[in-house]
Amino acid sequence: MLNSAEILQTINMFDRQHLDIRTITMGVSLLDCANPDAKVAGQRIYDKICRRAERLVSTGMEIEKEFGIPIVNKRVSVTPISLVAAASDCTDYVSFAAALDRAAKTVGIDFIGGFSALVQKGFTEADRKLIASIPQALAETDLVCASVNVGSTKAGINMDAVAQMGRVIKETAALTAASGGFGCAKLVVFANAVEDNPFMAGAFLGPGEPECVVNVGISGPGVVHHALQQVKGEPFDVVAETIKKTAFRITRMGQLVAREASARLGVPFGIVDLSLAPTPAVGDSVARILEEMGLEVCGTHGTTAALALLNDAVKKGGVMASNHVGGLSGAFIPVSEDEGMIAAAQAGVLQLDKLEAMTCVCSVGLDMIAVPGDTSAETLSAIIADEAAIGMVNSKTTAVRLIPAPGKKVGDIVEFGGLLGSAPVMPVHPESSAAFIQRSGRIPAPMQSLKN
């Protein structure tokens, strides 16, 4: 039974420590929407999303009001569109993105994810069409998010896809130059992408998922930061235990919301993703958690070790709290969305090489990072390859969300607003990787893939 102190502590988490449910994401299978006629398929997609998700936003608002728990986003993820559109006779898939965007606006959600392709071992013709359609699709829609999985521990890295994604990112930035290359903020390149991720821009409903499912993503960097302020100077054992207990409380709240949403929508509960996803608000930063452990500035020596401790403790606390922890669950380090990361990048302490090292121990990778607008497609591809290699060898999910900001140079700021924040343009190595990227083929899977 809860006592008054625990109730007040929970209220304080919401009011002063930025605790929230970052997203309720409904996954909807679109496999039964496939049709040789692209117009018919698009209408089926629109109809099914509207039918399944028509009460998603209102249900989220009801739960938010009834329990006093902030729910920031209501989203939908769908079957990778390359799988659905493969039956159609069209030459590009922009019309499918338009159908997704129209459905998202009709049901009132914040984003829809799944304009995606899984090409870690090779391309189908549908995959090729979808990837070629990404720049125009993201430029012509508002709420559609895209992702491409280019590698995995089992398959290795599809370097042809890596090379192409560098060009796709450049083209997307050019087509959305008026908004600072905003289209790139809706595009993620993965290795080892998971099928139940509720967070955008990388969410899609994997082929192994149910017909319809509710996944919840929660976030609480501010709560963890506040908890660590109470154990200043204590050994790392105490720090880890404090984070673990805090993550436990946060996850229990997320599971409550997930089960309520599941019951009210009549849709199975999938997973709770406990990821410390920051916002640009002061007090809601993963970087400040790391600095609370004793680092003067995030990015200095010791940052990777501090992040490893944080990520591990968050996962352990989450697993204690729920049998259905999934998605990515850990700590995100999106530079533009984290007030402390922005400050560290502007000070020149946090740079791409250090972020790459941090990727080895965190949930995702190089996330929401602006680079100079004249960065070559080959350099973007080489950054993607490095991240994919980390994911492949370490059997973990890694991702890249890069924004080559048109007309911007190192030190400039790209403003996106809202949860996407503002991105300081970070330097990349000037030395060329073109000859490396121009090699075709696949980087073979590592030895640890042979576990059968």
Side-chain angles (χ1 to χ4, degrees):
M1 185 175 179
L2 293 175
N3 59 41
S4 58
E6 290 173 320
I7 293 171
L8 290 172
Q9 184 182 46
T10 301
I11 292 172
N12 196 43
M13 287 180 182
F14 295 133
D15 289 347
R16 299 183 182 181
Q17 299 165 25
H18 303 281
L19 178 61
D20 58 52
I21 299 295
R22 187 55 49 86
T23 179
I24 295 178
T25 301
M26 175 181 282
V28 180
S29 173
L30 300 181
L31 289 173
D32 58 349
C33 298
N35 191 278
D37 188 324
K39 290 184 179 179
V40 173
Q43 188 60 45
R44 286 182 175 181
I45 288 170
Y46 173 83
D47 291 341
K48 186 168 187 181
I49 293 170
C50 290
R51 184 173 68 253
R52 284 290 190 174
E54 64 177 345
R55 295 192 299 112
L56 178 61
V57 172
S58 60
T59 299
M61 294 173 67
E62 289 169 7
I63 294 171
E64 187 174 16
K65 183 177 181 180
E66 185 173 334
F67 290 92
I69 299 173
I71 300 174
V72 179
N73 287 294
K74 294 84 179 176
R75 300 163 171 168
V76 168
S77 63
V78 299
T79 307
I81 290 298
S82 67
L83 301 179
V84 181
S88 73
D89 55 5
C90 57
T91 56
D92 73 67
Y93 294 162
V94 176
S95 63
F96 286 89
L100 294 176
D101 200 51
R102 190 160 55 97
K105 290 174 177 175
T106 298
V107 299
I109 57 175
D110 298 284
F111 285 107
I112 186 165
F115 196 75
S116 306
L118 311 177
V119 297
Q120 57 269 22
K121 206 168 184 179
F123 301 93
T124 65
E125 285 305 309
D127 293 329
R128 293 184 187 279
K129 291 178 183 178
L130 184 132
I131 292 172
S133 301
I134 286 174
Q136 187 180 350
L138 295 183
E140 295 183 5
T141 61
D142 298 313
L143 306 180
V144 173
C145 294
S147 60
V148 177
N149 192 70
V150 299
S152 71
T153 301
K154 278 288 186 183
I157 303 172
N158 181 348
M159 290 300 292
D160 294 319
V162 169
Q164 186 173 1
M165 288 313 299
R167 298 190 292 270
V168 166
I169 291 170
K170 285 286 286 186
E171 186 179 349
T172 303
L175 290 179
T176 57
S179 56
F182 177 72
C184 297
K186 300 187 295 173
L187 172 59
V188 182
V189 185
F190 277 115
N192 287 322
V194 297
E195 298 187 345
D196 56 4
N197 169 25
F199 285 100
M200 298 297 170
F204 62 86
L205 186 75
E209 291 290 298
E211 173 74 13
C212 191
V213 67
V214 169
N215 298 320
V216 166
I218 57 179
S219 182
V223 179
V224 175
H225 183 214
H226 178 79
L228 291 186
Q229 290 175 327
Q230 314 307 309
V231 293
K232 286 184 181 293
E234 296 287 346
F236 284 116
D237 310 81
V238 176
V239 171
E241 188 68 17
T242 300
I243 295 171
K244 187 170 69 174
K245 290 178 178 178
T246 304
F248 176 88
R249 293 200 301 271
I250 295 171
T251 307
R252 294 295 284 181
M253 182 199 70
Q255 180 163 279
L256 167 67
V257 171
R259 292 198 178 280
E260 279 294 321
S262 169
R264 297 183 189 201
L265 291 167
V267 172
F269 159 45
I271 58 94
V272 175
D273 186 325
L274 174 61
S275 288
L276 299 183
T279 71
V282 174
D284 200 27
S285 163
V286 169
R288 300 305 185 195
I289 295 174
L290 306 180
E291 291 169 359
E292 187 61 37
M293 293 186 200
L295 305 173
E296 183 176 355
V297 180
C298 177
T300 191
H301 305 297
T303 299
T304 305
L307 183 58
L309 184 155
L310 172 64
N311 208 55
D312 179 68
V314 164
K315 290 179 185 291
K316 287 175 178 174
V319 170
M320 287 171 59
S322 173
N323 289 328
H324 299 290
V325 170
L328 298 167
S329 289
F332 287 171
I333 51 173
V335 173
S336 82
E337 300 174 20
D338 187 305
E339 167 268 327
M341 297 278 177
I342 293 170
Q346 289 177 320
V349 178
L350 186 63
Q351 299 192 7
L352 275 176
D353 288 345
K354 187 60 177 181
L355 283 164
E356 186 178 300
M358 293 164 69
T359 296
C360 298
V361 298
C362 78
S363 288
V364 187
L366 298 179
D367 195 12
M368 284 302 292
I369 294 172
V371 297
D374 61 0
T375 303
S376 70
E378 291 83 5
T379 294
L380 298 175
S381 294
I383 294 171
I384 292 168
D386 284 342
E387 285 295 297
I390 290 171
M392 175 185 71
V393 171
N394 291 285
S395 302
K396 70 183 295 295
T397 303
T398 51
V400 173
R401 197 161 37 148
L402 292 174
I403 303 148
K408 300 290 186 179
K409 60 183 185 301
V410 174
D412 290 342
I413 300 291
V414 187
E415 296 284 350
F416 296 118
L419 288 177
L420 295 178
S422 59
V425 178
M426 302 177 70
V428 299
H429 288 291
E431 295 80 13
S432 175
S433 306
F436 175 75
I437 293 302
Q438 286 165 6
R439 291 175 180 269
S440 60
R442 187 154 48 96
I443 293 179
M447 280 298 296
Q448 56 263 46
S449 68
L450 301 176
K451 293 183 177 179
N452 292 339

